[in-house]
Amino acid sequence: MGAALTRSAQWTAAGYGSGTLERTPLNEEILKEIIVFVEHFIYKYPHEAKFVFVEPLEWNTDLEPSAFESGYIVSETTVKSEEVDKNGQPLLLLSVPQIKVRSFGQLGHVLFIAKDTKLKEAQACIEGNRDPVVKILGPDFGEMKEDSMALHILNKISTGDDPENEIKMKIAILLKQLDLHLLNHSLKYISLQINLNPKTVKKDIELLQRFSGKGEQTVLESIEYTSDYEFSNGCRAPPWRQMYGEICYVLVKPHDVEAFCITCSVEGVFLNGGKTDEEGDIDYERKGEVYKDLVTFLKEKSAVFSENMSKQEITFNEEQKNQIEEVLTKEEAAVPQKSISSPDRLKKNHINFVKTQMSKRLEPSLNWRAKVDFKEQKNLTKDSQEEKHGGKVEKSRTSISHGKVQLRKSVDKIEETISESSSESEEDEEQPDHRQEANADLPSEYWQIQKLVKYLKGGNQTATVIALCSMKDFNLAQETCQLAIRDVGGLEVLINLLDTDEVKCKIGSLKILKEISHNPQIRRNIVDLGGLPIMVNILDSPYKSLKCLAAETIANVAKFKRARRAVRQHGGITKLVALLDCAQNATEPAQSSLYETRDVEVARCGALALWSCSKSYSNKEAIRKAGGIPLLARLLKTSHENMLIPVVGTLQECASEENYRAAIKAERIIENLVKNLNSENEQLQEHCAMAIYQCAEDEETRDLVRLHGGLKPLASLLNNTKNKELLAAVTGAIWKCSISKENVIKFREYKAIETLVGLLTDQPEEVLVNVVGALGECCQEHENRVIVRRCGGIQPLVNLLVGINQALLVNVTKAVGACAVEPENMAIIDRLDGVRLLWSLLKNPHPDVKASAAWALCPCIENAKDAGEMVRSFVGGLELVVNLLKSDNKEVLASVCAAITNIAKDQENLAVITDHGVVPLLSKLANTNNDNLRRHLAEAVSRCCMWGRNRVAFGEHRAVAPLVRYLKSNDTNVHRATAQALYQLSEDADNCITMHENGAVKLLLDMVGSPDQELQEAAAGCISNIRRLALATEKARYT
């Protein structure tokens, strides 16, 4: 292991021999391989595992003596193994904290006892024993570096008298093989990494400098090198640091955190110790994790950088793409097109490798753009928890020499996959391919299955059928059996059998494929081998048993995007929808006997496959166009749960699309969904509730749920708190149904609000989001706000304001704001410091959270006892609110204007926000067509006019003429707010002239006759001021 530890392992700056292993992915890979070697040693080589080391391996361990059980003599601070050498010395001796081990068998036991900390133990062992081979076999083995030396030592062992020479020789060979394996594994690992180079780092820094400065929209305040001198290789790090792969050091000053110094190296970007105070030298030691590039590092460290970068990223990526394409064009021009000699070919391969790496570096920007397009065009992206549930664009695996062609292929790949739905789950991520380790200890079933596969390959029809039947008798749900079939080439044989004319062989093959396709690796292999098109063709077979098996297998395989796309592209969706058209009598009352018929089973399998396929947008459209909705609606009338679960599951997936929701109403599916909420099957209840949740965005659907009696079973299902998936679906359905006031009244009758308050604690976030959303809708009514307070719901709601989940924060701010309408509730919120928490959410990077927090602050300020003093008590709070008027989000602007309207009711606060420049910022927003923003902007202008010379300032900033145009809106609320603002502004003569010139008088005269009394008074008052000015001007002219 010496060569691997010196050449491949990454040690700290102290170097090999006195430093420690760094916490890097490569070191972790090396340690894992060593652990696997030691763990398997005792089983593969039991005789050699008993060999006693020449010297014990010593290190400091974290293992406690109590962890050692049978086979050891244990005291409070020491442990001795019962296994001893020929001198009676124990092969394992633990004297806390030091441990000494003298055989591979005992090393394996230590790793077994360590369990989750085995990686840490292995690291401590390697650090404590710099040359383990010498300690295991003796000093003669410390120089096995060259082949000649190795042969010399082997010759010495073979001619010696020591009876253990043969064992030593075998162990030496095994350790040498491990050393070579570690070197090869490290080389393979390193070759897969995309290293940075000076040119790439320089381009990134230059681009970031272009987007940096003092403005609000810039990504950074500044970014600069620590050294102006650039070496000929492009590096700025000193030569003695370039030996460690370091390229340069950069000082970065973000907008929201303190300045820091970072190191750019070929391995990535990381934080260093910064400049020392005394001499200004750099502390080169790494202080955190290594990131793949500069932008990724800065996004992690600065929220403002991440937010502003998201606005600039398209421009940034275009710049980056253009620069790299320039490099690729130059390199392509440098490569001759004629025949190339061997050295030149190596050079060309190197150039191609560089291009491929550069192309890969471009892929994140392309993926980001694809996601933006997808969001704008399909509007299907959901909460980031994609993180957990986000559909990801597959990266192109093909490495080609020409960078531009690589980019074109990446774009084509993205265009092909942007139609995939964001509802796809973690299963969509293709799992890494794990092969069974050669010569690993495997159960006998593994070898027996491999023998059967050989019969499948070479036997006649009878032998093939017998082999298939024998294989089916094994436990195919066990991963070892599944991988045994794959490892010996069994999948290819099984798929080839599907192309034969023998029905029995097809049935046997599909039965096995159906079982083993639950394994993610097998699923991917089936797609790679072209199995899906064959299965799709079998759906046309006249044999119903074949149709069933093929559809079920497709259902298992279509768990990731590439498989779903393959099913659609080969016409599978249309054929699966056709399977739903089972016997007409299958849904009649006398179906109990008919259900067992093959027709109904075919329909069930077809629904199962459509359920898996319906996780992509394109497939949903294909199902709808193939006439799947009426057939699903008909099958929904059956009383058999095996049929209902896949049918409802498919409808639930498809109900995220507006076209489907309209069709679901037209086919009267809601009635059957409500009926199945009373089922005893929790999985069926979950999918029905989730389908209602998806459909209840529409008011008519919410009314149908109530009319068909669906609210009561939903309320009763809230008591099932053990099944979290069911609870999340039910609370989601209640949330959406609560948007209608009539439904809220029913929920109050069923005591659902009290139950929802009880679910505000000790629940997962997916449940809390829906519970808080439902309470936010229910608390729009006075009676429900009282219930929430009486049940102690205010405190848990306020406690949730400190979370980080965006969807939860949006809902909880709305709920707290709704509760704050009641003065008693507001007193509790104020006592719990809820207003300060809401105010702090105005700094959240997500616009939806900012807007929701600002809306919630309005009733808090309005109903607080001493609102003015409370608002002033928040240090920097008023400046923060005013600065939010610079946002680009219309909802944030409208909510902040509403908050300013309430803040400005206090004269001192109005004076403060005036000093912070509220007037020019409000004036700048006046040219808008958004009626919601118009209304609250006009109200804010009206309030702000009541201080100093703000009326005059609004006129100077040209806010009056745009306000007059608001009177042409169709919204009465906008008319009222605008008339009040114009009334206040008309106290200034210049503003009156501007209003008259822009035709305000005629518009206001029409509003004097409005039934809205406030609008009448404001319009009349404004006309009065304009008329008074005209009379005064006329009088002055004649006198």
Side-chain angles (χ1 to χ4, degrees):
M1 292 185 289
L5 294 178
T6 52
R7 297 179 192 173
S8 299
Q10 297 167 324
W11 298 82
T12 56
Y16 179 79
S18 58
T20 58
L21 285 170
E22 290 188 348
R23 292 178 299 169
T24 63
L26 177 57
N27 282 348
E28 190 172 321
E29 289 293 321
I30 292 174
L31 290 172
K32 285 179 180 177
E33 292 298 317
I34 294 173
I35 289 170
V36 169
F37 174 80
V38 174
E39 287 180 332
H40 289 171
F41 197 93
I42 192 171
Y43 303 110
K44 290 182 181 180
Y45 316 107
H47 187 58
E48 288 76 10
K50 296 178 182 178
F51 172 74
V52 179
F53 299 162
V54 175
E55 293 182 43
L57 298 179
E58 304 178 30
W59 72 91
N60 288 338
T61 180
D62 291 334
L63 296 177
E64 297 293 333
S66 58
F68 293 83
E69 298 176 354
S70 60
Y72 297 93
I73 302 168
V74 183
S75 67
E76 288 186 6
T77 58
T78 62
V79 175
K80 294 181 181 179
S81 65
E82 294 178 356
E83 188 180 6
V84 295
D85 63 10
K86 59 186 177 182
N87 297 322
Q89 295 297 318
L91 297 186
L92 182 144
L93 176 63
L94 170 62
S95 180
V96 179
Q98 191 179 57
I99 188 171
K100 298 180 180 180
V101 179
R102 300 181 62 196
S103 75
F104 280 108
Q106 291 298 329
L107 273 178
H109 287 309
V110 170
L111 290 176
F112 175 76
I113 292 168
K115 294 180 181 177
D116 295 338
T117 61
K118 63 176 66 175
L119 201 66
K120 188 177 180 182
E121 290 296 320
Q123 181 176 345
C125 179
I126 295 298
E127 290 173 352
N129 303 277
R130 303 301 185 182
D131 199 342
V133 177
V134 173
K135 290 198 171 185
I136 293 170
L137 298 175
D140 287 342
F141 292 83
E143 302 298 326
M144 283 184 65
K145 296 177 182 177
E146 303 295 337
D147 290 343
S148 58
M149 183 63 72
L151 290 170
H152 174 71
I153 293 174
L154 289 173
N155 183 58
K156 180 180 175 182
I157 292 173
S158 61
T159 57
D161 298 328
D162 191 346
E164 293 186 340
N165 278 350
E166 187 178 347
I167 296 177
K168 278 190 177 183
M169 183 171 66
K170 188 169 183 180
I171 292 176
I173 293 170
L174 291 172
L175 291 176
K176 190 68 176 176
Q177 289 174 349
L178 173 63
D179 205 19
L180 291 172
H181 172 71
L182 292 176
L183 288 170
N184 290 332
H185 188 80
S186 301
L187 184 61
K188 183 179 177 182
Y189 179 86
I190 291 168
S191 68
L192 294 174
Q193 305 305 304
I194 302 173
N195 291 337
L196 297 179
N197 58 65
K199 188 176 290 186
T200 305
V201 172
K202 185 177 180 180
K203 295 295 184 186
D204 284 354
I205 292 173
E206 287 176 353
L207 282 174
L208 287 172
Q209 285 175 336
R210 291 175 58 183
F211 291 97
S212 299
K214 293 293 184 181
E216 290 291 332
Q217 300 300 320
T218 58
V219 296
L220 296 167
E221 281 192 17
S222 65
I223 176 170
E224 56 188 20
Y225 294 105
T226 58
S227 170
D228 294 330
Y229 182 76
E230 182 178 330
F231 290 90
S232 59
N233 61 359
C235 295
R236 295 174 187 257
W240 62 89
R241 297 306 302 177
Q242 291 182 31
M243 293 171 59
Y244 297 104
E246 295 177 4
I247 298 171
C248 64
Y249 313 100
V250 185
L251 286 172
V252 180
K253 179 62 180 78
H255 289 290
D256 54 340
V257 293
E258 294 295 324
F260 47 76
C261 186
I262 58 181
T263 298
C264 299
S265 71
V266 293
E267 294 178 357
V269 178
F270 57 85
L271 184 70
N272 60 39
K275 285 194 172 184
T276 57
D277 295 333
E278 296 81 10
E279 301 177 2
D281 294 332
I282 294 174
D283 179 2
Y284 299 113
E285 187 173 350
R286 180 159 61 87
K287 300 297 183 182
E289 296 181 10
V290 180
Y291 295 82
K292 67 177 182 178
D293 56 33
L294 198 55
V295 173
T296 306
F297 174 88
L298 293 171
K299 280 184 177 180
E300 187 70 22
K301 298 296 182 184
S302 168
V304 173
F305 177 87
S306 180
E307 182 180 1
N308 289 350
M309 193 64 186
S310 65
K311 301 173 185 175
Q312 305 279 3
E313 196 154 8
I314 292 179
T315 308
F316 184 89
N317 287 333
E318 287 293 337
E319 295 274 0
Q320 192 178 47
K321 174 180 158 185
N322 292 338
Q323 289 175 354
I324 292 178
E325 282 190 346
E326 269 182 42
V327 175
L328 297 179
T329 306
K330 289 177 183 178
E331 289 180 347
E332 283 172 2
V335 179
Q337 298 299 317
K338 55 188 179 182
S339 60
I340 303 171
S341 63
S342 183
D344 291 336
R345 188 178 294 110
L346 290 174
K347 184 177 179 181
K348 182 177 180 181
N349 289 340
H350 173 70
I351 292 172
N352 292 343
F353 175 73
V354 172
K355 292 177 188 176
T356 304
Q357 299 290 50
M358 288 185 172
S359 298
K360 286 182 179 178
R361 284 178 58 76
L362 282 177
E363 283 179 3
S365 66
L366 290 171
N367 287 348
W368 184 87
R369 290 178 66 191
K371 286 180 183 177
V372 172
D373 294 339
F374 173 66
K375 184 175 181 180
E376 291 174 352
Q377 293 172 13
K378 303 297 181 185
N379 196 24
L380 288 173
T381 50
K382 297 181 181 177
D383 189 3
S384 77
Q385 190 191 0
E386 214 197 87
E387 290 99 250
K388 183 175 180 182
H389 289 283
K392 298 182 180 178
V393 179
E394 294 180 1
K395 291 187 178 180
S396 175
R397 294 179 181 80
T398 308
S399 294
I400 55 178
S401 60
H402 298 290
K404 291 182 180 178
V405 178
Q406 175 77 8
L407 285 170
R408 182 64 256 160
K409 285 205 170 187
S410 296
V411 173
D412 292 341
K413 187 74 172 176
I414 289 160
E415 288 173 352
E416 187 179 7
T417 57
I418 55 175
S419 64
E420 298 298 330
S421 167
S422 63
S423 66
E424 298 174 14
S425 65
E426 286 179 329
E427 285 183 295
D428 303 331
E429 299 303 319
E430 294 185 8
Q431 302 296 322
D433 197 0
H434 299 297
R435 295 275 173 180
Q436 291 288 339
E437 185 182 349
N439 298 323
D441 288 324
L442 296 166
S444 59
E445 291 89 344
Y446 184 87
W447 309 111
Q448 291 170 13
I449 287 176
Q450 293 205 344
K451 288 180 182 178
L452 289 174
V453 172
K454 291 177 182 177
Y455 285 117
L456 284 179
K457 290 180 177 179
N460 56 21
Q461 179 187 342
T462 305
T464 300
V465 173
I466 292 171
L468 290 170
C469 294
S470 301
M471 197 179 291
K472 185 69 175 65
D473 290 337
F474 284 94
N475 180 13
L476 295 179
Q478 188 177 349
E479 186 177 22
T480 305
C481 296
Q482 296 167 353
L483 299 183
I485 295 172
R486 183 197 66 175
D487 292 348
V488 78
L491 281 179
E492 293 92 328
V493 179
L494 291 171
I495 290 171
N496 286 340
L497 287 174
L498 298 180
D499 254 345
T500 64
D501 295 329
E502 296 298 329
V503 177
K504 290 181 180 179
C505 291
K506 286 184 177 181
I507 290 174
S509 177
L510 281 172
K511 283 185 176 180
I512 293 168
L513 288 171
K514 183 186 80 170
E515 294 296 328
I516 65 176
S517 58
H518 290 286
N519 185 305
Q521 298 173 39
I522 301 290
R523 287 200 287 263
R524 188 180 68 175
N525 294 139
I526 290 173
V527 175
D528 292 339
L529 293 168
L532 277 177
I534 301 173
M535 293 179 200
V536 168
N537 290 335
I538 292 175
L539 296 175
D540 290 328
S541 170
Y543 298 97
K544 292 172 183 176
S545 56
L546 274 178
K547 289 182 178 181
C548 290
L549 289 169
E552 282 193 274
T553 309
I554 290 172
N556 292 338
V557 175
K559 298 290 186 184
F560 61 101
K561 290 186 286 189
R562 189 156 56 93
R564 286 191 283 270
R565 188 164 59 246
V567 174
R568 182 181 72 250
Q569 289 174 344
H570 291 90
I573 300 297
T574 305
K575 294 178 181 180
L576 288 170
V577 169
L579 297 185
L580 301 180
D581 194 10
C582 62
Q584 294 294 322
N585 295 328
T587 58
E588 295 299 321
Q591 63 188 356
S592 57
S593 60
L594 292 170
Y595 180 76
E596 299 301 327
T597 65
R598 188 62 65 184
D599 282 335
V600 180
E601 182 64 12
V602 169
R604 185 191 71 82
C605 296
L608 205 59
L610 287 174
W611 187 8
S612 293
C613 292
S614 63
K615 289 182 172 63
S616 97
Y617 172 78
S618 297
N619 286 356
K620 290 174 187 176
E621 281 297 296
I623 293 170
R624 185 178 64 81
K625 290 176 181 176
I629 301 176
L631 295 173
L632 289 168
R634 195 176 74 192
L635 292 175
L636 195 59
K637 295 174 184 176
T638 182
S639 60
H640 296 279
E641 292 172 355
N642 287 341
M643 174 73 83
L644 286 170
I645 289 173
V647 169
V648 176
T650 306
L651 288 170
Q652 169 219 318
E653 288 290 346
C654 295
S656 60
E657 304 302 321
E658 189 174 350
N659 290 338
Y660 267 93
R661 291 198 289 270
I664 285 172
K665 283 187 295 182
E667 294 292 337
R668 304 180 65 181
I669 289 175
I670 298 298
E671 180 180 354
N672 290 300
L673 291 175
V674 168
K675 181 181 73 174
N676 288 313
L677 284 175
N678 296 308
S679 167
E680 294 181 0
N681 187 306
E682 292 187 356
Q683 188 181 4
L684 179 57
Q685 290 174 329
E686 177 191 338
H687 292 307
C688 288
M690 187 58 73
I692 291 172
Y693 164 75
Q694 298 278 16
C695 296
E697 295 282 351
D698 179 72
E699 183 178 0
E700 187 179 345
T701 301
R702 296 195 291 269
D703 293 338
L704 287 172
V705 174
R706 182 180 71 256
L707 293 173
H708 292 301
L711 301 181
K712 189 169 185 178
L714 283 173
S716 63
L717 286 172
L718 286 174
N719 297 314
N720 186 352
T721 56
K722 293 181 180 179
N723 188 336
K724 300 302 180 184
E725 290 79 9
L726 173 60
L727 189 60
V730 169
T731 50
I734 290 175
W735 172 21
K736 296 301 179 183
C737 290
S738 298
I739 298 173
S740 296
K741 291 184 179 180
E742 297 84 355
N743 291 350
V744 172
I745 295 170
K746 286 290 183 183
F747 282 132
R748 187 164 66 243
E749 290 177 13
Y750 301 141
K751 307 293 183 184
I753 297 171
E754 291 88 340
T755 310
L756 287 170
V757 171
L759 294 173
L760 286 173
T761 53
D762 302 325
Q763 297 297 334
E765 284 188 343
E766 53 267 26
V767 174
L768 286 173
V769 169
N770 297 336
V771 169
V772 175
L775 287 175
E777 297 297 340
C778 292
C779 286
Q780 302 300 319
E781 297 186 3
H782 167 74
E783 295 86 349
N784 298 334
R785 292 193 289 268
V786 173
I787 292 172
V788 170
R789 183 179 72 249
R790 193 176 64 243
C791 295
I794 305 294
Q795 182 162 357
L797 282 173
V798 172
N799 292 343
L800 291 174
L801 289 171
V802 297
I804 58 174
N805 183 302
Q806 180 187 350
L808 179 57
L809 287 174
V810 169
N811 285 354
V812 76
T813 47
K814 181 178 180 179
V816 170
C819 291
V821 173
E822 299 292 326
E824 295 86 350
N825 291 354
M826 182 55 219
I828 299 172
I829 293 169
D830 192 19
R831 189 176 71 249
L832 296 170
D833 214 13
V835 182
R836 182 185 63 79
L837 293 174
L838 284 172
W839 215 287
S840 67
L841 288 177
L842 296 176
K843 301 176 184 177
N844 194 285
H846 298 290
D848 292 342
V849 178
K850 287 180 184 175
S852 188
W855 286 124
L857 283 171
C858 295
C860 291
I861 297 170
E862 193 172 348
N863 294 289
K865 284 189 177 179
D866 191 357
E869 186 60 36
M870 178 189 72
V871 170
R872 286 191 295 277
S873 69
F874 303 129
V875 178
L878 291 172
E879 184 179 3
L880 172 63
V881 170
V882 172
N883 285 335
L884 284 176
L885 290 173
K886 300 173 185 177
S887 172
D888 296 327
N889 186 284
K890 293 289 191 293
E891 189 68 17
V892 171
L893 292 172
S895 60
V896 170
C897 287
I900 287 173
T901 302
N902 286 282
I903 291 169
K905 292 177 181 177
D906 182 89
Q907 288 294 301
E908 289 186 43
N909 290 341
L910 178 54
V912 174
I913 63 174
T914 300
D915 291 341
H916 285 308
V918 71
V919 172
L921 288 172
L922 288 173
S923 302
K924 191 177 179 181
L925 298 175
N927 289 297
T928 179
N929 296 321
N930 185 296
D931 277 347
N932 189 36
L933 176 56
R934 282 177 165 184
R935 172 191 172 185
H936 295 289
L937 176 61
E939 289 175 352
V941 168
S942 176
R943 281 288 175 187
C944 290
C945 283
M946 299 178 184
W947 176 259
R949 61 184 302 277
N950 282 358
R951 292 186 180 88
V952 178
F954 277 119
E956 291 172 351
H957 287 92
R958 301 181 180 179
V960 179
L963 281 171
V964 173
R965 291 196 290 273
Y966 291 7
L967 296 174
K968 298 177 182 178
S969 168
N970 296 322
D971 191 337
T972 307
N973 292 322
V974 174
H975 293 166
R976 184 190 314 113
T978 305
Q980 290 171 339
L982 292 175
Y983 171 63
Q984 292 295 332
L985 290 167
S986 65
E987 297 289 335
D988 176 67
D990 291 334
N991 291 344
C992 286
I993 295 169
T994 305
M995 291 178 202
H996 190 272
E997 289 174 348
N998 285 273
V1001 175
K1002 183 179 179 181
L1003 294 168
L1004 289 168
L1005 282 171
D1006 293 337
M1007 294 176 187
V1008 171
S1010 169
D1012 187 320
Q1013 187 174 350
E1014 292 183 14
L1015 176 56
Q1016 276 185 3
E1017 292 177 359
C1022 184
I1023 293 171
S1024 173
N1025 288 338
I1026 294 171
R1027 182 61 185 155
R1028 228 181 257 116
L1029 174 64
L1031 290 173
T1033 305
E1034 190 175 349
K1035 184 177 179 181
R1037 185 185 304 168
Y1038 289 110
T1039 58

